[in-house]
Amino acid sequence: MKRNLLNLTRNTYDLLIIGGGIYGACIAWEASLRGLSVALVEKGDFASATSANSLKTIHGGLRYLQNADFRRMRESIRERRTLLRIAPHLIHPLPVLIPTYGHGMKGKEALSLALAVNDMISCDRNQLADPQKHIPNGRVISAQDCQKLLPGIPDQGLTGGALFYDAQVYNSERLPLSFLQSAAQAGADVANYVEGIGFLKQGNRITGIKAKDTLTGDHFDIRAKTVINTSGPWMNQVLGWLQGHSLSVKVPLAKAVNLVTRPLFQTYAVGISSTNSYRDPDAIVNKGSRFLFIAPWRGKSIIGTSYTVWDEKPDDLQVTTADIQDLLDQINQAYPPANLKPEDVDFVHGGLLPRTGVDSHTGEPLLEKQYHIHDHAREGLPGLLSIIGVKYTTARDVAEKAIDQLFTSWGQKPPKSVSNITPIYGGEIERFDTFLQTALTNSPDGLTEETMRRLVYNYGSVYPNILQSLEDNLHQQQMPVDELAVLKAEVIHAVREEMAQTLSDVIFRRTELGSAGVPEPHILKYCAETMATELGWSFTRIEQEIQAVKEVNQHRFLTVV
């Protein structure tokens, strides 16, 4: 995957995508698979905003039972199965335990029924050849067993626990990257650090965008038959280029915050009810409180989510000390043994989601629940579609529907989509456990099992590319086979093959070095010096890049990822 801006200026594409998060990446892959010429640009690095700031959970939609929204449940279950199939290195089953209290909506009986209905609705969830990807049936456990698994859980009214399985994405930044690499292999031209600054028009028809290379300051035009706006929180800003036009799309935003902390639970993800009151206006049955989720993550816990209204510009997003303390207080009240303090926070995730309004009683945002594919031809602006996504899990499905609609708008019959059965880059794995064991058995001398596991989980079937880069560097520099040598190979691969332009790209989005906190100074320095050799950085630039990484999450209290 190469950053070739000259190609962007030379061609007129069938489709130009603005935004390189999970939705833009899935649309690029979907369109490329169906034979379209595709370009995609991202103003920052790929998946560096909301797509990076998730709870890393691929939801099967159990929570939609309270709305009796079986259509969304089926959609989520289907897409969870699809991701387990096409990205087997990145998506894995995750056990989830919910303590049950009393005999009402949070009780053992109600949850037992919910699990049974969930299993029935997801009866085809295990139509996958790989047994490692199978999702077991849910079941209830006794109060005693629940206390053993969750020591210190409040026991007043405790009646047991509901155990079910969902899925977790091992590296939420590499999943969009893999979709983009797949699209690039199919012929798409993709580029990060290219900012759209205006639309190109012929009459009222949108024919492309005016763009700026944020690395050099160069300006150029990119032309396309249709432009799809998948800019997420920047949706309003992009549509603001259409001054003088009355548009029906306006996306208010909510700030979402997750925390990475010292580990609370080792094996299970745990769902507990916050003591804060909350009412879902669309729910048939309301539990009366918002759900908090604690999942194992990189030997730590990832905890979320808290939501607040955000009416400022998306570029100004900050996670404040008050945001962090509020979420810590919610966790400590729901699970007192956690006793989390600010110093226990290793990393902060902050992102922006679409909302529909604000709860008049609590002041909390009401989150948008439905995706939207908006064709601006309805407003007299053909050639432009906007996608409002609400869920990481279902991005591929929305991409399929968007490309179907695109062909229809051209008066053409959409070619059949095969993205639900086509492995993405790194996903050519029939049985994950067998593949992993083979990799461990054939590991080069000097590499630990932990290192090989990390390579397989991040790169999947293309992990030999990293080993090849490792071998090339060993021969050239007579390096020993150790962890630093592997790290150097990953950094070089990220620069040469994955379009990494900054140290932050490598630390936070190409490797897992920064997924649970900023790495040690000597690691940062080593990575920066490796990039400097590749990209010709000066000593001053090296220092600037290191400082930029430190500032991303510097003591966690005033920054956003």
Side-chain angles (χ1 to χ4, degrees):
M1 189 169 70
K2 308 293 184 182
R3 188 174 185 267
N4 189 333
L5 303 192
L6 192 57
N7 276 356
L8 293 176
T9 63
R10 285 175 170 172
N11 298 318
T12 298
Y13 297 92
D14 293 321
L15 177 61
L16 167 61
I17 302 161
I18 304 171
I22 186 64
Y23 277 81
C26 286
I27 289 173
W29 173 225
E30 182 72 37
S32 298
L33 265 181
R34 296 210 226 175
L36 299 181
S37 60
V38 177
L40 177 146
V41 294
E42 161 60 45
K43 63 178 279 188
D45 189 27
F46 305 124
S48 59
T50 302
S51 294
N53 296 300
S54 73
L55 270 174
K56 322 300 180 188
T57 306
I58 303 300
H59 288 291
L62 176 63
R63 62 190 177 189
Y64 300 141
L65 270 179
Q66 66 177 332
N67 304 85
D69 194 341
F70 302 119
R71 183 190 64 81
R72 291 188 75 198
M73 283 190 72
R74 285 294 303 162
E75 179 182 74
S76 297
I77 290 161
R78 182 181 66 247
E79 290 309 301
R80 181 183 63 189
R81 183 183 64 200
T82 292
L83 289 173
L84 286 163
R85 177 192 295 119
I86 68 175
H89 55 309
L90 291 169
I91 314 297
H92 304 273
L94 174 71
V96 182
L97 180 57
I98 301 175
T100 60
Y101 289 91
H103 301 283
M105 292 313 302
K106 300 177 183 178
K108 193 172 183 179
E109 297 84 1
L111 269 294
S112 177
L113 177 61
L115 294 182
V117 172
N118 183 59
D119 288 339
M120 180 177 65
I121 294 174
S122 64
C123 59
D124 58 351
R125 66 189 181 276
N126 291 330
Q127 289 181 356
L128 297 165
D130 186 352
Q132 191 260 347
K133 303 301 177 188
H134 288 182
I135 303 292
N137 284 340
R139 59 187 176 91
V140 293
I141 61 176
S142 67
Q144 292 77 14
D145 287 341
C146 186
Q147 287 175 314
K148 289 177 183 177
L149 295 172
L150 308 179
I153 197 76
D155 59 2
Q156 184 175 357
L158 182 71
T159 55
L163 177 62
F164 69 99
Y165 284 74
D166 233 327
Q168 186 178 59
V169 55
Y170 181 81
N171 189 324
S172 60
E173 293 81 359
R174 289 201 66 86
L175 185 59
L177 186 67
S178 295
F179 278 110
L180 289 171
Q181 288 172 308
S182 299
Q185 283 192 333
D189 290 325
V190 304
N192 54 3
Y193 297 99
V194 173
E195 182 178 7
I197 55 176
F199 286 116
L200 300 174
K201 294 170 64 180
Q202 289 183 353
N204 277 344
R205 172 169 284 278
I206 304 300
T207 59
I209 66 169
K210 301 173 184 178
K212 174 185 175 182
D213 180 354
T214 64
L215 300 179
T216 65
D218 291 342
H219 289 70
F220 54 94
D221 294 343
I222 311 173
R223 301 186 181 278
K225 186 176 179 180
T226 297
V227 176
I228 292 187
N229 175 13
T230 63
S231 55
W234 288 268
M235 180 73 63
N236 299 330
Q237 182 176 308
V238 170
L239 295 178
W241 303 342
L242 296 165
Q243 295 181 3
H245 292 274
S246 178
L247 301 177
S248 60
V249 177
K250 177 69 175 177
V251 185
L253 300 171
K255 175 168 62 173
V257 175
N258 301 315
L259 305 177
V260 177
T261 72
R262 60 173 168 79
L264 301 184
F265 307 110
Q266 299 291 341
T267 304
Y268 295 92
V270 177
I272 51 178
S273 295
S274 166
T275 56
N276 293 359
S277 62
Y278 172 75
R279 184 180 185 279
D280 182 347
D282 299 321
I284 295 174
V285 178
N286 268 283
K287 300 189 297 296
S289 59
R290 190 181 287 282
F291 210 55
L292 296 172
F293 196 73
I294 307 169
W297 180 252
R298 303 282 192 265
K300 303 179 186 292
S301 286
I302 185 166
I303 301 173
T305 302
S306 68
Y307 302 98
T308 53
V309 172
W310 184 260
D311 289 325
E312 308 300 321
K313 295 178 180 179
D315 287 317
D316 295 334
L317 178 64
Q318 283 190 333
V319 177
T320 65
T321 304
D323 293 326
I324 295 169
Q325 190 61 57
D326 177 64
L327 185 48
L328 292 177
D329 289 344
Q330 290 185 52
I331 291 294
N332 290 335
Q333 290 165 8
Y335 181 57
N339 193 27
L340 289 172
K341 300 177 177 62
E343 55 266 29
D344 294 318
V345 178
D346 292 300
F347 207 70
V348 176
H349 291 285
L352 292 170
L353 300 172
R355 61 178 166 90
T356 57
V358 180
D359 188 302
S360 59
H361 299 290
T362 66
E364 286 198 350
L366 301 173
L367 300 181
E368 175 66 77
K369 296 177 181 178
Q370 299 289 343
Y371 68 85
H372 296 277
I373 303 172
H374 187 84
D375 189 342
H376 293 276
R378 304 173 201 164
E379 300 153 338
L381 290 165
L384 176 64
L385 276 69
S386 290
I387 311 295
I388 301 172
V390 297
K391 192 174 178 183
Y392 195 106
T393 303
T394 53
R396 188 219 61 87
D397 181 64
V398 175
E400 180 181 330
K401 291 179 170 65
I403 298 304
D404 283 346
Q405 185 167 321
L406 180 65
F407 275 102
T408 301
S409 73
W410 292 342
Q412 300 177 22
K413 181 180 178 180
K416 183 180 178 180
S417 173
V418 294
S419 61
N420 67 324
I421 57 173
T422 306
I424 60 173
Y425 187 80
E428 294 281 357
I429 299 172
E430 291 186 6
R431 296 204 170 198
F432 183 79
D433 285 344
T434 302
F435 183 87
L436 176 60
Q437 189 55 52
T438 300
L440 295 176
T441 301
N442 298 322
S443 172
D445 291 340
L447 296 191
T448 65
E449 179 176 316
E450 180 183 357
T451 295
M452 287 304 300
R453 283 181 177 274
R454 175 173 59 79
L455 292 179
V456 170
Y457 274 82
N458 278 304
Y459 301 97
S461 57
V462 296
Y463 84 88
N465 294 346
I466 305 299
L467 296 184
Q468 184 59 55
S469 180
L470 170 65
E471 186 176 335
D472 293 344
N473 279 288
L474 293 177
H475 288 321
Q476 292 173 10
Q477 302 182 25
Q478 297 182 336
M479 296 176 65
V481 181
D482 59 16
E483 303 305 306
L484 282 180
V486 175
L487 180 56
K488 183 170 186 175
E490 287 188 85
V491 174
I492 291 172
H493 180 79
V495 172
R496 294 180 183 177
E497 305 298 335
E498 298 180 341
M499 221 177 286
Q501 306 292 329
T502 72
L503 183 60
S504 291
D505 298 345
V506 166
I507 299 300
F508 297 114
R509 291 175 290 278
R510 301 302 185 278
T511 67
E512 62 182 65
L513 283 170
S515 62
V518 175
E520 294 295 323
H522 74 281
I523 295 294
L524 288 181
K525 185 171 185 291
Y526 187 76
C527 292
E529 289 175 346
T530 301
M531 291 191 76
T533 301
E534 289 291 306
L535 298 173
W537 290 350
S538 65
F539 176 77
T540 300
R541 176 68 184 274
I542 291 174
E543 293 300 310
Q544 290 172 342
E545 292 288 332
I546 291 174
Q547 185 59 31
V549 168
K550 291 179 179 178
E551 289 175 354
V552 165
N553 210 46
Q554 192 170 39
H555 213 58
R556 284 86 63 182
F557 299 139
L558 291 174
T559 50
V560 60
V561 181

